[in-house]
Amino acid sequence: MTRPVLHCGFVPLVDAAPLVIARELGFAAKEGVVLELLKQPSWSALRDMLAMRHLEAAHMLSPMPIAMSLGLGGVKADIHAVMVLSVNGNVLAASNTLIAQLRAKGWKRDLEDADAVADALEQAVQGPIRIGVPFPFSMHRELVEYWLRGRDLQIEVHSVPPPMMSEALKSGEVDAFCVGEPWGSRAVDAEAGELILAGRSIWAFSPEKVLAARGDWIEDNPDLIGALMRAVYHAGRWLQDPGNRVIATDILARQEYLGLPADVIERAMKGHLLAQARSFGTEVPGFLHFNTGAANFPWRSQAQWIGSNLAHRHGLELEPALAHARRVFRSDLYREVMGAIGIDLPGASDKQEGALMHPTAVASTRGGLILQPDYFFDGAIFDPDED
């Protein structure tokens, strides 16, 4: 019997690992599907491929399906986020020139102190600061905008494909950037700049990438989307075991995936970052999650946080935008697929984002779910019932 082929697009980043492992270690095959992974040169290319039906599914920035459902960025399509692929995994870096200015004002590096870095930027920067992000509708942009909101800084956000971040920093096209690994580490190795902050220091448990598909395809192919979700879930659970990440690193380093030295990829997989060239490195706890603490659950409160930001930034009517956002994150489908195989699921599909300072047991279908800290750097709490 011929197995169905699923074409899934991805951008070469460490957080594409659940898809890569689902294919390479047979999790997809066990579910009865052939998973074909198609590397894309940019997020806009991947977006267009999915919208034009050249792909069945895609590795996507978490705000992208919401933006597409709202018609932002010139492409309107009914795209759904069926599960979260990864949490955290971003870094912020600054050019050598900006690093020198920060140090002249007494800044001392701490990759986990978002307030201290923002304070230093206010003191050091004269005029606008140009910050690169991989795409206008990305968690990178949401983190940067949230972090520097209300600061006495003039921010100019530029879109730069992840593999080009290092050159953009070195050439002076941007003064700083926020990007997923390993592209921050590549900039450090090229001595184009230094790391100044880990993305998790802004929001401790932010949904970074999602598995996305068109709404009509999901409706027409319930068995296939279920098979893909199960395969990716089991791959993520395998990845969460630290003992497996060396094997994953070697696979991701292959030319058809990231095509980069394994030691660079390994830093992100282990959360051991080199903030500057030839340094000993810094451990960043919780730098990247693939499965722990309901990491794969598509919380509608997280979709609402993203939708609220997009609505305010783009002048959209708030209530319809929030309704669109909440429909995009398919907690209902996730419950249906994962519940059938006994996965422990949270008792609700919304939560107060930013309320958890410590690992916390919550009501769940099997009674064993512990959510990880999800606090915002400024102590704010986003309540979806009060937005």
Side-chain angles (χ1 to χ4, degrees):
M1 181 178 177
T2 303
R3 291 181 296 171
V5 179
L6 296 181
H7 302 89
C8 186
F10 75 99
V11 171
L13 290 156
V14 168
D15 54 33
L19 290 167
V20 173
I21 295 304
R23 170 184 164 81
E24 292 293 336
L25 295 192
F27 292 108
K30 186 176 180 179
E31 294 292 340
V33 298
V34 176
L35 183 56
E36 290 291 341
L37 299 181
L38 304 174
K39 186 191 295 188
Q40 302 300 307
S42 66
W43 291 112
S44 56
L46 181 142
R47 174 198 62 189
D48 295 347
M49 288 282 283
L50 184 62
M52 294 188 294
R53 303 174 185 274
H54 297 307
L55 300 170
E56 281 77 55
H59 158 243
M60 272 195 165
L61 299 155
S62 57
M64 281 180 71
I66 297 172
M68 293 173 73
S69 77
L70 294 170
L72 299 174
V75 177
K76 184 173 178 61
D78 183 31
I79 306 298
H80 295 184
V82 299
M83 64 189 297
V84 175
L85 290 175
S86 63
V87 167
N88 300 338
N90 295 319
V91 294
L92 289 89
S95 68
N96 294 320
T97 299
L98 182 51
I99 289 291
Q101 293 171 336
L102 291 170
R103 287 197 175 116
K105 295 297 182 179
W107 169 74
K108 294 182 180 179
R109 190 190 326 277
D110 182 343
L111 296 182
E112 299 188 58
D113 193 339
D115 268 323
V117 180
D119 289 343
L121 286 173
E122 277 189 321
Q123 296 176 41
V125 174
Q126 301 294 322
I129 178 172
R130 299 160 298 170
I131 301 180
V133 298
F135 198 66
F137 310 108
S138 62
M139 184 53 64
H140 312 89
R141 179 163 191 176
E142 298 307 328
L143 292 176
V144 167
E145 296 272 3
Y146 184 82
W147 172 46
L148 298 179
R149 184 183 303 164
R151 290 286 183 167
D152 186 21
L153 289 166
Q154 183 183 344
I155 306 166
E156 296 179 358
V157 178
H158 296 249
S159 293
V160 181
M164 299 179 67
M165 284 291 186
S166 179
E167 182 56 37
L169 202 63
K170 182 177 287 188
S171 68
E173 179 184 343
V174 297
D175 304 302
F177 65 64
C178 180
V179 74
E181 278 290 85
W183 299 108
S185 290
R186 291 297 279 173
V188 171
D189 290 347
E191 300 189 41
E194 299 180 11
L195 302 187
I196 56 173
L197 200 62
R200 71 166 305 280
S201 302
I202 299 172
W203 185 7
F205 209 77
S206 61
E208 175 52 33
K209 301 298 190 307
V210 295
L211 179 63
R214 295 186 310 279
D216 59 350
W217 185 84
I218 294 170
E219 186 74 21
D220 293 341
N221 298 276
D223 292 340
L224 290 181
I225 192 62
L228 180 58
M229 290 170 67
R230 288 190 297 271
V232 170
Y233 176 88
H234 289 303
R237 187 163 64 180
W238 182 89
L239 280 162
Q240 197 60 45
D241 182 343
N244 291 331
R245 293 198 177 187
V246 173
I247 298 171
T249 293
D250 290 339
I251 295 172
L252 288 168
R254 295 176 188 171
Q255 191 59 43
E256 63 265 37
Y257 299 125
L258 273 63
L260 293 171
D263 66 310
V264 178
I265 299 170
E266 187 178 24
R267 295 178 209 166
M269 296 295 279
K270 292 185 173 181
H272 182 83
L273 303 180
L274 271 63
Q276 61 186 119
R278 297 178 298 280
S279 66
F280 289 110
T282 301
E283 298 294 334
V284 181
F287 178 72
L288 176 63
H289 294 291
F290 292 112
N291 183 257
T292 193
N296 303 120
F297 189 79
W299 294 94
R300 286 191 160 147
S301 47
Q302 293 178 342
Q304 187 169 327
W305 185 84
I306 294 168
S308 177
N309 292 342
L310 293 177
H312 289 303
R313 191 178 308 132
H314 295 276
L316 305 179
E317 191 175 347
L318 184 60
E319 289 305 319
L322 297 186
H324 270 287
R326 291 176 62 83
R327 284 196 295 269
V328 167
F329 271 40
R330 294 294 305 275
S331 55
D332 59 326
L333 179 61
Y334 188 89
R335 289 183 182 281
E336 178 184 334
V337 172
M338 298 305 169
I341 59 172
I343 301 304
D344 201 7
L345 300 168
S349 296
D350 287 274
K351 60 186 176 73
Q352 291 185 327
E353 300 296 335
L356 303 181
M357 297 299 295
H358 308 283
T360 303
V362 297
S364 64
T365 55
R366 300 188 67 185
L369 188 59
I370 298 176
L371 299 186
Q372 296 301 299
D374 70 346
Y375 53 86
F376 293 100
F377 81 98
D378 58 358
I381 294 176
F382 177 81
D383 188 338
D385 292 330
E386 297 180 3
D387 182 54

